Amino acid sequence: MGRGSEGPGDDGGHGVPSADGARREPPAGFVGCDETIEKLYFYLDGELTEERRLEITRHLDLCGPCVGAYGFEAELRKLVATRCQDRVPDELRARVAEALRAESATAD
Ligand SMILES: [Zn+2]
């Protein structure tokens, strides 16, 4: 007895798939937060294919927390780029990834 908005089905319209999104599945190609965070590095490095970039962009459009993570990572990269003009050290990347993971875990 979930939704009782509609009266008893006297329509007899059983088995007809509703085209009006009865399911709650994410749109096709929608990547999860974990995947987005993981790919942020590649996204920022420009190492993703156009298709992948679009997926990340689409996710960032819909997901506030990930936009925050993206902004954080982008700022960090800018900082590192101007300071050492080098790639982010693996150790730092790992720490940032860990921090982002913890953040997204608590920001529920
Ligand atoms: Zn997200």
Side-chain angles (χ1 to χ4, degrees):
M1 26 192 113
R3 46 182 103 171
S5 54
E6 290 179 358
D10 52 359
D11 251 11
H14 60 89
V16 179
S18 109
D20 203 20
R23 304 181 181 199
R24 289 249 171 143
E25 285 173 17
F30 187 80
V31 294
C33 290
D34 285 350
E35 206 177 335
T36 299
I37 298 289
E38 262 171 45
K39 294 204 169 100
L40 273 183
Y41 304 111
F42 304 108
Y43 182 84
L44 288 160
D45 277 338
E47 290 176 3
L48 293 176
T49 63
E50 184 70 13
E51 196 181 345
R52 285 287 170 190
R53 289 182 65 86
L54 278 174
E55 284 176 3
I56 303 295
T57 305
R58 211 179 306 156
H59 184 102
L60 291 175
D61 271 351
L62 301 172
C63 186
C66 281
V67 171
Y70 169 74
F72 176 71
E73 175 68 14
E75 280 301 311
L76 183 74
R77 297 209 123 223
K78 221 188 295 174
L79 191 78
V80 171
T82 52
R83 284 191 172 227
C84 11
Q85 307 218 315
D86 204 325
R87 290 182 64 89
V88 180
D90 284 345
E91 194 193 348
L92 183 55
R93 289 168 71 119
R95 292 177 72 166
V96 171
E98 207 175 309
L100 291 176
R101 213 180 293 269
E103 192 176 89
S104 67
T106 51
D108 202 321

